[in-house]
Amino acid sequence: MFKINSNILQPVVAAMAKAIKDSGIGERNVYIKNIDLGIVSFYFNSPELSAEKRIPAQVESSFNITISMRELAKKVAGLPNNEEIQFKDVQSKGGSVHYVEMLWGSHGRRSNIFVQTLNENTEFLEVPVLSEKVLWGPNLLSQLVNKFKAFTLKSSSDEAKQSPVLSGIFMSQSQTGQCILRAADRKIMVKYISDYQWVKDDVILDTDHLSGVSNLISTKTDVEVGVSKKSGLVIFQSKDTTCVCRVLSGIYPKTDQLFNYEVKCKYTFDRPELMELCSRVQKITETGTKMVIFENRKNIVFAVVPNVLEQQIGASVEGIKWSFAVNAEKLFDCIKFFEAEDEVTLYLEDPNRPITIGCDESPDIQMAISPYSISGLNADLKEFVSV
C-alpha cells in the first residue's frame, strides 16, 4: 500500500484524534486512501465537522481503507520514532476479517503492529462552491478559539441545547471589512473588532468545532476561510488540510445594548492584581459559586469572600460608592482577554444589572459580566463582612 516515516504519521493521527475529541462530534472512523502520486489522504466526517489531511508518502499501490479513529490513534502511538513504516493490507486465514499491518525494522529484524479495518466506505470531501473567502494569517484561528472559549456554552450542556447559538461565536463584517466577533454564555459577553478580515455573510460557529479545526491546522500557516452560503458551511483550508464546519442555525441575541460606559460608578483596578485575586478566590472556595464581593470602605476597596477572605486591593472608585458581587472565575476569564494591559475598569449603572468591563487602551473590546443579586448588599453589609 504505502510507506511513511513515523515522525510524519504520528502527529497527523494524534491531531485528528484530538480534533474529534475536542469538537464533541462523537466516535468517528478515519478513511485513508491514495490521492495522487506521493500523497495519502486521511479523512473523517460528521454532519457538524469534516476534515481531511493530505500527507506525503511513498505509495506502492492503490488502496481505500477504513479504521476506527480511536483504534488507529492507539496503535500509531505505539510505533517507534523516526522509523519508516510500511502499511500492508492483510487478510485473516478465514478471509472474514481484514487488517492493516504496520511493519518496520532493518538488518534482519522485523516488527509489526496489526490494526483491524472496517467494512465501510464514504464519499470523500468535496469543497462546496464558496460565495466569498478571506485569508487569515498564522496563529489567528488558535488565538480566536483560546480567547472566546470561556465566553460560550459547552455544546453538550443542557443550556446549549435550549439556546444552541450561545455555544458559538457570532462572526460578522464591519463597515471596513473587519471581522466582528461576539460571544455570550448569559453570565459574560464580549464583542471584539479584530484586525483581520471577514466575508459579508454573518455566521455562528460552534466553539468546540472551531477547537477541532484549530487542532488540525498548523498555527504557523496561513488559513483561507470561505463561506458557502447555499449549504450553510464554512471552509478552513491550508496547504495540506481542509476542514468543513456547519453553521449553527438561529438568531444571535442583541447583546450590544448591554455595554454601558455612561454610568454612576466606576471601579478601576490594576489588572495583574485583580487576576491574582480572582485566581486566589477560585482556589479557596468550594466547587460551585465562586462569589467575590467588592466593597468600598472609606475609599479603600476590599474583596470579600464571606467567612473565608477579606483582602484589601488597589483600586480607585469614581461616583457612587456601590458595592457589587460577581463570579471570580468568570471575572478572571474577562480580564484575561485584555492581554498586556495594566488597568481595567468596571462600569456600574446599577449593581444588580450587567457590569461593563473595559480598558482605555483597547477600545476594540467591549465586555460585560452579570453580577450576583444580593438583597441589601448596598444597604447593610454587616451580615457579609466585618467592619
Side-chain angles (χ1 to χ4, degrees):
M1 298 194 334
F2 68 99
K3 295 180 180 179
I4 188 171
N5 188 286
S6 58
N7 283 8
I8 297 175
L9 175 68
Q10 286 173 324
V12 169
V13 173
M16 296 192 83
K18 190 173 189 306
I20 290 172
K21 180 180 179 181
D22 289 355
S23 62
I25 60 176
E27 292 299 319
R28 295 288 136 187
N29 297 329
V30 58
Y31 307 93
I32 311 171
K33 75 172 185 178
N34 60 300
I35 297 295
D36 297 313
L37 185 64
I39 298 294
V40 172
S41 170
F42 285 69
Y43 168 60
F44 70 82
N45 71 352
S46 78
E48 299 84 15
L49 175 66
S50 300
E52 179 191 26
K53 291 192 76 72
R54 298 188 175 193
I55 59 177
Q58 181 183 338
V59 178
E60 299 174 318
S61 61
S62 294
F63 61 92
N64 190 342
I65 56 174
T66 304
I67 302 173
S68 159
M69 185 74 252
R70 176 183 288 183
E71 184 70 9
L72 181 65
K74 181 171 62 176
K75 298 296 177 61
V76 167
L79 293 172
N81 295 328
N82 201 26
E83 284 277 358
E84 183 180 68
I85 309 297
Q86 183 179 20
F87 277 65
K88 295 180 66 176
D89 189 14
V90 297
Q91 196 170 14
S92 64
K93 292 182 179 180
S96 59
V97 181
H98 286 79
Y99 294 90
V100 164
E101 179 185 17
M102 297 185 292
L103 183 69
W104 74 93
S106 59
H107 306 294
R109 300 180 65 178
R110 305 292 281 175
S111 304
N112 56 22
I113 293 177
F114 290 94
V115 186
Q116 184 175 341
T117 62
L118 304 173
N119 185 22
E120 179 185 329
N121 290 307
T122 187
E123 293 294 326
F124 261 64
L125 188 65
E126 291 187 11
V127 178
V129 177
L130 304 180
S131 56
E132 195 179 356
K133 56 187 177 182
V134 294
L135 187 66
W136 287 1
N139 291 312
L140 288 181
L141 179 59
S142 60
Q143 288 175 1
L144 184 155
V145 173
N146 291 335
K147 277 180 171 290
F148 282 85
K149 199 168 183 65
F151 289 81
T152 57
L153 297 174
K154 185 73 176 174
S155 54
S156 59
S157 67
D158 291 337
E159 285 184 292
K161 291 174 183 176
Q162 295 175 5
S163 302
V165 295
L166 296 186
S167 68
I169 303 172
F170 177 43
M171 302 180 185
S172 59
Q173 187 188 71
S174 70
Q175 292 182 346
T176 57
Q178 291 174 294
C179 185
I180 303 176
L181 304 114
R182 294 175 174 86
D185 68 355
R186 292 198 179 95
K187 297 181 179 69
I188 53 177
M189 54 225 72
V190 63
K191 174 185 177 183
Y192 175 47
I193 303 176
S194 71
D195 57 359
Y196 45 102
Q197 302 297 301
W198 187 245
V199 299
K200 294 179 182 178
D201 296 315
D202 298 347
V203 301
I204 308 171
L205 293 178
D206 187 284
T207 316
D208 286 343
H209 300 161
L210 282 174
S211 181
V213 174
S214 68
N215 285 325
L216 291 166
I217 296 181
S218 170
T219 59
K220 299 178 181 179
T221 186
D222 290 341
V223 183
E224 195 173 72
V225 186
V227 174
S228 173
K229 188 174 182 180
K230 184 177 181 180
S231 52
L233 302 172
V234 175
I235 292 81
F236 299 86
Q237 201 159 27
S238 66
K239 183 179 179 180
D240 61 1
T241 306
T242 300
C243 301
V244 177
C245 193
R246 183 164 297 282
V247 172
L248 292 176
S249 59
I251 299 174
Y252 205 80
K254 295 180 179 180
T255 56
D256 289 9
Q257 59 191 3
L258 298 175
F259 307 126
N260 184 9
Y261 301 91
E262 301 298 325
V263 296
K264 299 174 183 176
C265 175
K266 298 180 184 179
Y267 275 75
T268 299
F269 294 91
D270 176 81
R271 179 176 168 272
E273 185 182 9
L274 186 58
M275 289 187 69
E276 182 182 27
L277 167 73
C278 291
S279 179
R280 178 175 294 112
V281 172
Q282 292 178 68
K283 292 175 182 177
I284 65 176
T285 53
E286 298 294 332
T287 301
T289 300
K290 306 286 185 179
M291 185 181 72
V292 58
I293 300 170
F294 291 94
E295 177 202 355
N296 189 293
R297 307 178 193 170
K298 298 180 180 180
N299 295 321
I300 298 175
V301 177
F302 283 83
V304 179
V305 176
N307 304 315
V308 177
L309 170 73
E310 287 192 18
Q311 178 179 331
Q312 184 176 335
I313 185 168
S316 61
V317 184
E318 299 178 40
I320 300 175
K321 311 300 183 184
W322 268 327
S323 297
F324 64 96
V326 293
N327 183 301
E329 183 177 11
K330 292 297 183 180
L331 182 59
F332 181 89
D333 290 333
C334 289
I335 57 181
K336 184 175 66 173
F337 203 100
F338 296 92
E339 296 176 339
E341 302 298 347
D342 295 328
E343 293 184 338
V344 292
T345 300
L346 274 63
Y347 299 82
L348 288 78
E349 176 62 22
D350 183 306
N352 294 314
R353 296 178 61 186
I355 300 168
T356 297
I357 304 174
C359 175
D360 291 341
E361 304 301 320
S362 300
D364 53 344
I365 302 172
Q366 294 181 287
M367 193 176 295
I369 183 170
S370 295
Y372 288 113
S373 181
I374 302 177
S375 178
L377 179 62
N378 286 284
D380 184 2
L381 287 163
K382 291 183 180 179
E383 61 178 306
F384 298 108
V385 300
S386 62
V387 293

